[in-house]
Amino acid sequence: APRPAPARGGPAPRTVRLGSPRPRLRMVGLALTLVMLAFVARLLQVQAVDASAYAAKADQNRYVGRTLAAVRGEITDRNGIKLATSVDAYDITADPTLFTEEVTKTSDAPEQAAELLAPILGQDTAAIAKKLRTPHTRYVLLARRRTPQVWKQIKDLKNTLAAKAESERDGVGVLAGVLAEPTSKRVYPNGGLAAGILGWVNAEGKGGGGIEQLLNKELAGQDGRIRYAQSGGRLVPTAGSTETPAVAGSDIELTIDRDIQWAAQNAITEQVKKSKADRGYVVVQDTRTGQILAMANSPGFDPNDLSKADPAALGNAALQDAYEPGSTAKVMSMAAVLQENVATPMTHVTVPNRLHRGDRMFQDDIDHLTWYLTLNGVLAKSSNIGTILAAGQLGTTQAEANRVLYSYLRKFGIGSPTGLGFPGETKGILAPPGSWSTSQQYTIPFGQGLSINAVQAASVYSTVANGGVRIEPTLVRGAKGADGRFTPVPKPKETRVVSEKTAKALAQMLESVVDDEQGTGVKARIPGYRVAGKTGTANRVDPATGRYRGYTSSFAGFAPADKPRVTVYCAIQNPTKGSYFGGQICGPIFKQVMEFALKTLQVPPTGAGAANLPVTFTP
């Protein structure tokens, strides 16, 4: 259709002409091409020209993982007093890849770092430098379990050097690759107190002896794990991390009373020094429960610093030493005689100065005219000959008597583990009766020819004190887990050994040892308390030669005799100065420790008088 004519007299219409789009498209295309070329050039530079440099930087920023050490559980006494605990510490580690020349821009970074670290860690400079040059690894251990103060000193120095390197734009600080892993250090607040019981923790953080070793799994807990990004030895907080938390170990509560343990350890240490003896031990036991209240050894050691410890003193000699008990074992022979109804405490026993049996002549510890003793007197005066004569009545033949005596020794726990399961514990030596030599048939009744440990010896007397029922000794009361719940140990095994009547008679006979002027244990008397006890002086087998040399001196007993609460056993090996008789050097130890234990446990004095059984008879 024809266009309308413009209005007459108005302006002429304006015509707009569009330019060609091709030049603009060419410019845009050229710009995009230049940008792509720039990216390609940069990509070639990164992947080809500078590949090694960027790979090194990327290597410094990769994710790394480390173990989160679980806090080791505490060990406490029966009242919750800490005997072993853990404090914060750090394992000082390093990443050798961060000490290379490419990273630090210097060829001797390991040596420079070692010079700085050696005085802080107390180590050799060359040894540290060698570790920092370890190839093909990103982890080396420089020092274990250092205090937070040590790590702070390293960290401050590390930050100072890092800031200097950053300002100078010259690589990284020479300590950038030094790292720390939080851990804990085992400490024993009471030093060497109860060290034989507690043991120690080795360099790997595992129990190396004692309760630390026995219950290592429970104490150790479960380690955790963390994975995080790091750059130049520093954590990258925005890069994210994954963590499996550590589970703390259980706290272990022992049956030990710290104060009674101290009294026992102090007493035996002084006497061992005074007697110039090889060693000694004291065991204190609750007669009603079988719980060990103290187990002291001398010499001992300080688990805080094993470098100063005598290797021969490590361990727990009260459980690990096997030795012939001597006359303290006579109470088991008397128990058999009474229980088998072949004699009573009033039975007359005529004791000559010498007695020929088997292939040898037997004698008592002193020469004497013929003694006219009751069976009670045989025990009170600790007559070997009287004991042989009494034990011989256990059977119509010597072989039968041997079998009967053996059965009672076994019931008392001789030749069997104590039940504590302690590392290195000995069960002693008790041969079957068919293997007893000619002399053993007559020496075993008075405590030679068999061997025991100190806890077994204490348990014998606790059995008599407990009315003839043997309660398996215990050293652990229970454990408190990470959830805070306390779990007691199972009830210990109980075994009837002799009747209550026999046990009461034995207790009265043991009182004569201490209370009667003719007894061998008068130094164990305690004012206000009735005391039942027995001395022991045995020929000692030298562990170095296997021959008899010196003596084992001992004393065992319980109090109050009429209502027993505590058993104390003391033994000293090879005293070489002063008396070697058990009543003379161990009787006072018994008294000192027993008095302290009775006061600590608030045991009231005895009400009734002693039985005062006769020791002799008139022929």
Side-chain angles (χ1 to χ4, degrees):
R3 296 180 180 178
R8 189 174 292 180
R14 187 175 179 182
T15 301
V16 178
R17 295 181 178 273
L18 297 175
S20 174
R22 291 180 179 177
R24 286 192 296 272
L25 289 175
R26 292 191 188 98
M27 290 181 65
V28 172
L30 179 60
L32 291 174
T33 300
L34 292 174
V35 171
M36 291 301 295
L37 287 174
F39 277 113
V40 170
R42 182 61 174 162
L43 188 61
L44 288 172
Q45 181 187 14
V46 171
Q47 292 189 343
V49 180
D50 296 332
S52 59
Y54 282 99
K57 289 185 178 181
D59 193 53
Q60 297 175 37
N61 293 277
R62 69 174 53 167
Y63 277 88
V64 295
R66 64 175 174 83
T67 299
L68 297 175
V71 176
R72 194 172 180 86
E74 295 179 340
I75 302 176
T76 71
D77 82 338
R78 64 189 302 110
N79 299 309
I81 299 174
K82 295 178 183 179
L83 301 176
T85 188
S86 298
V87 296
D88 291 340
Y90 291 91
D91 285 343
I92 308 302
T93 66
D95 181 349
T97 64
L98 298 179
F99 291 88
T100 61
E101 184 174 356
E102 292 80 8
V103 173
T104 61
K105 307 305 181 186
T106 179
S107 60
D108 62 344
E111 286 70 27
Q112 290 185 39
E115 288 285 349
L116 296 170
L117 293 172
I120 301 175
L121 299 179
Q123 295 184 4
D124 180 65
T125 303
I128 297 176
K130 183 178 179 181
K131 288 183 179 181
L132 298 180
R133 287 190 177 277
T134 305
H136 313 303
T137 183
R138 299 203 63 185
Y139 177 91
V140 291
L141 179 65
L142 301 181
R144 288 187 183 276
R145 294 178 173 81
R146 296 308 167 97
T147 64
Q149 290 76 15
V150 169
W151 171 234
K152 183 178 184 302
Q153 189 176 355
I154 294 173
K155 188 166 58 175
D156 290 345
L157 185 57
K158 175 180 173 177
N159 291 338
T160 300
L161 294 174
K164 180 180 178 182
E166 186 174 346
S167 64
E168 296 176 357
R169 300 181 179 275
D170 184 21
V172 297
V174 293
L175 294 183
V178 179
L179 310 169
E181 295 182 358
T183 184
S184 59
K185 181 181 180 181
R186 203 61 163 170
V187 294
Y188 301 87
N190 302 285
L193 185 71
I197 299 171
L198 300 174
W200 65 91
V201 173
N202 61 26
E204 286 71 40
K206 297 180 180 180
I211 293 295
E212 296 278 25
Q213 179 180 343
L214 177 64
L215 300 178
N216 181 71
K217 183 178 180 181
E218 292 83 352
L219 287 163
Q222 296 179 354
D223 290 341
R225 187 74 179 171
I226 186 172
R227 183 174 181 271
Y228 61 90
Q230 61 90 26
S231 175
R234 297 180 180 180
L235 174 68
V236 181
T238 59
S241 64
T242 58
E243 179 179 345
T244 302
V247 179
S250 297
D251 294 337
I252 302 299
E253 183 178 309
L254 301 182
T255 61
I256 297 299
D257 182 290
R258 185 192 64 171
D259 294 340
I260 298 176
Q261 176 72 28
W262 174 86
Q265 198 158 316
N266 185 61
I268 193 63
T269 298
E270 289 184 359
Q271 188 60 59
V272 165
K273 291 180 180 178
K274 183 179 178 180
S275 299
K276 292 188 176 180
D278 289 356
R279 62 176 55 177
Y281 3 82
V282 171
V283 177
V284 183
Q285 189 174 21
D286 188 320
T287 61
R288 305 171 306 172
T289 65
Q291 294 181 353
I292 303 295
L293 301 176
M295 192 190 303
N297 297 280
S298 178
F301 64 96
D302 185 350
N304 290 306
D305 188 2
L306 294 180
S307 64
K308 297 180 181 178
D310 179 358
L314 296 176
N316 190 335
L319 281 164
Q320 295 171 336
D321 277 5
Y323 56 92
E324 298 185 24
S327 295
T328 53
K330 289 175 181 174
V331 70
M332 293 184 284
S333 298
M334 295 300 171
V337 168
L338 295 177
Q339 187 65 30
E340 292 296 312
N341 295 314
V342 299
T344 72
M346 306 300 293
T347 297
H348 294 179
V349 182
T350 301
V351 181
N353 185 45
R354 295 286 189 277
L355 180 69
H356 185 268
R357 285 290 186 273
D359 58 355
R360 59 183 289 190
M361 192 73 72
F362 291 93
Q363 64 185 59
D364 289 321
D365 60 343
I366 59 172
D367 283 327
H368 57 79
L369 298 175
T370 298
W371 280 342
Y372 298 98
L373 305 176
T374 62
L375 187 65
N376 176 66
V378 170
L379 191 62
K381 294 180 74 67
S382 197
S383 171
N384 295 341
I385 293 175
T387 304
I388 294 172
L389 292 172
Q393 302 302 307
L394 290 171
T396 56
T397 65
Q398 186 61 48
E400 182 182 354
N402 295 343
R403 289 193 295 271
V404 174
L405 179 59
Y406 175 83
S407 70
Y408 280 92
L409 295 175
R410 293 288 291 169
K411 288 179 184 178
F412 273 105
I414 308 303
S416 300
T418 61
L420 297 177
F422 207 82
E425 174 187 332
T426 178
K427 65 177 183 179
I429 301 173
L430 178 62
S435 301
W436 291 1
S437 67
T438 301
S439 62
Q440 276 182 305
Q441 298 179 79
Y442 307 105
T443 61
I444 285 178
F446 60 80
Q448 300 267 186
L450 74 163
S451 68
I452 63 172
N453 65 45
V455 173
Q456 289 174 327
S459 179
V460 168
Y461 283 79
S462 289
T463 298
V464 175
N466 193 43
V469 176
R470 181 181 186 272
I471 303 178
E472 202 170 66
T474 52
L475 194 55
V476 177
R477 295 188 75 185
K480 184 187 293 184
D483 58 0
R485 296 178 58 184
F486 180 81
T487 303
V489 298
K491 189 176 180 180
K493 180 182 177 181
E494 298 186 7
T495 306
R496 168 67 67 180
V497 178
V498 295
S499 68
E500 188 173 352
K501 177 183 177 181
T502 296
K504 184 176 180 181
L506 285 168
Q508 292 176 341
M509 293 170 68
L510 290 169
E511 278 192 85
S512 295
V513 175
V514 178
D515 192 57
D516 195 284
E517 289 301 328
Q518 297 188 61
T520 58
V522 294
K523 287 186 177 294
R525 293 175 180 173
I526 299 175
Y529 293 90
R530 289 169 59 180
V531 175
K534 184 70 189 75
T535 59
T537 307
N539 291 313
R540 174 180 175 271
V541 176
D542 186 343
T545 64
R547 297 178 179 273
Y548 281 114
R549 184 181 69 84
Y551 298 92
T552 296
S553 308
S554 60
F555 190 98
F558 52 85
D562 56 327
K563 194 175 181 180
R565 177 68 190 279
V566 180
T567 293
V568 173
Y569 175 79
C570 166
I572 293 178
Q573 298 291 352
N574 195 32
T576 59
K577 183 178 180 181
S579 175
Y580 59 81
F581 288 108
Q584 297 297 313
I585 64 173
C586 284
I589 299 302
F590 170 90
K591 177 182 179 179
Q592 182 178 343
V593 176
M594 179 63 83
E595 278 187 315
F596 188 93
L598 292 173
K599 291 178 181 178
T600 299
L601 299 174
Q602 299 181 349
V603 178
T606 300
N612 293 321
L613 299 178
V615 172
T616 62
F617 70 93
T618 302

